[in-house]
Structure formats: C-alpha cells, structure tokens
C-alpha cells in the first residue's frame, strides 16, 4: 500500500506542476497581447490628435479664405455654421437607432446566438377603441 500512496503523491505533484506551467503560459500570452493592444491604442490616440490639429488648421484656412471677401465676423459665423452642420451629420450617422431599420425576425427565426425563437413584432402600436361621441345636452344613461 505504501507504493500506491507514493504514486498518488506523484500524481498530485504532476497535476500541480502542470497547472503551474499552464498558468505561466496563459499569463505570458496575456502580457504579450496587452502589450500589443497598448501600442495599438497609443497609435490610435496619436492619429486622433493629428487629425484634430489637421481639422483645426483646415478650419482656420476656411475662415481666413472667407475673411478675404467678407467681414471677419461673417467669415467666423459661416465657418462655425459649417462645422456645426458637419458635427450634426456625424452625430446622426453614429446613432444606429435613427437609420434604416431591418425587418423584425419572424416567428420561425431565432435570435442570434440562441436557439430560442423570437416572437413576431407588431408593425404598429396597439390602439384603444374610443368611446362613442356624445351629443351636447344629453346624458349618458348606461
């Protein structure tokens, strides 16, 4: 029986060692992925800052170009209106709930990633039947 106890101890030691190696491998892989993602995020941030400065320079050029033929205040007002329209268009494009909508899934279609069927959606909200009109001067005798 001592021999079986010794093998059980070896099995437990082997499992612990394998778990440790797996943890270290996963930890190293996550560190490498995080390092790459951090670098990519820094590049995106730099790109965004450069685009912001490019947009500011373009705005100044537009204002100065307009100021050549208009009063300064009018050129600034037109530039602000153009930037406001661009901001509004970008905001509208970023909102997914205001674009063309996809048809609602039918009763036989399942929700993505599930096997559960989705009930059909009504095309219009339900209406409440209205009460019959009453003639002025008469009382409702129900």
């Amino acid at each position: 029986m001592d021999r079986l106890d010794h093998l059980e101890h070896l099995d437990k030691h082997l499992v612990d060692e394998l778990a440790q190696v797996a943890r270290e491998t996963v930890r190293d892989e996550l560190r490498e992925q995080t390092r790459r993602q951090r670098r990519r995020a820094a590049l995106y941030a730099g790109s965004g800052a450069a685009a912001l400065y490019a947009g500011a320079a373009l705005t100044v050029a537009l204002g100065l170009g307009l100021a050549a033929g208009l009063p300064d205040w009018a050129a600034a007002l037109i530039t602000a209106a153009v930037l406001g329209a661009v901001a509004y268009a970008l905001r509208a494009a970023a909102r997914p709930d205001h674009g063309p909508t996809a048809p609602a899934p039918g009763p036989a279609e399942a929700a993505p990633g599930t096997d559960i069927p989705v009930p059909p959606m009504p095309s219009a909200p339900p209406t409440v039947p209205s009460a019959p009109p009453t003639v002025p001067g008469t009382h409702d005798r129900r």
Side-chain angles (χ1 to χ4, degrees):
M1 283 297 177
D2 289 336
R3 186 169 173 84
L4 289 178
D5 289 339
H6 180 67
L7 288 177
E8 186 176 308
H9 175 66
L10 284 177
D11 286 345
K12 184 175 180 185
H13 180 69
L14 182 62
V15 168
D16 290 343
E17 192 173 324
L18 283 174
Q20 180 67 26
V21 168
R23 277 194 297 268
E24 288 174 4
T25 304
V26 168
R27 186 179 303 129
D28 291 342
E29 181 65 27
L30 287 175
R31 278 189 186 133
E32 182 62 30
Q33 286 179 1
T34 303
R35 192 173 298 123
R36 278 182 288 184
Q37 289 175 353
R38 192 178 306 138
R39 182 175 183 274
R40 184 178 298 154
L43 290 174
Y44 273 122
S47 170
L52 179 68
Y53 283 114
L58 184 65
T59 303
V60 168
L62 176 68
L64 290 175
L66 288 173
L70 297 172
D72 292 343
W73 65 269
L77 187 64
I78 291 171
T79 304
V82 168
L83 287 175
V86 168
Y88 183 79
L90 289 173
R91 186 191 71 153
R95 298 179 81 185
D97 56 359
H98 284 73
T101 58
E109 296 180 29
T114 66
D115 294 331
I116 302 170
V118 177
M121 298 295 292
S123 59
T127 58
V128 178
S130 60
T134 59
V135 178
T138 61
H139 297 292
D140 190 19
R141 297 181 188 168
R142 289 187 192 178

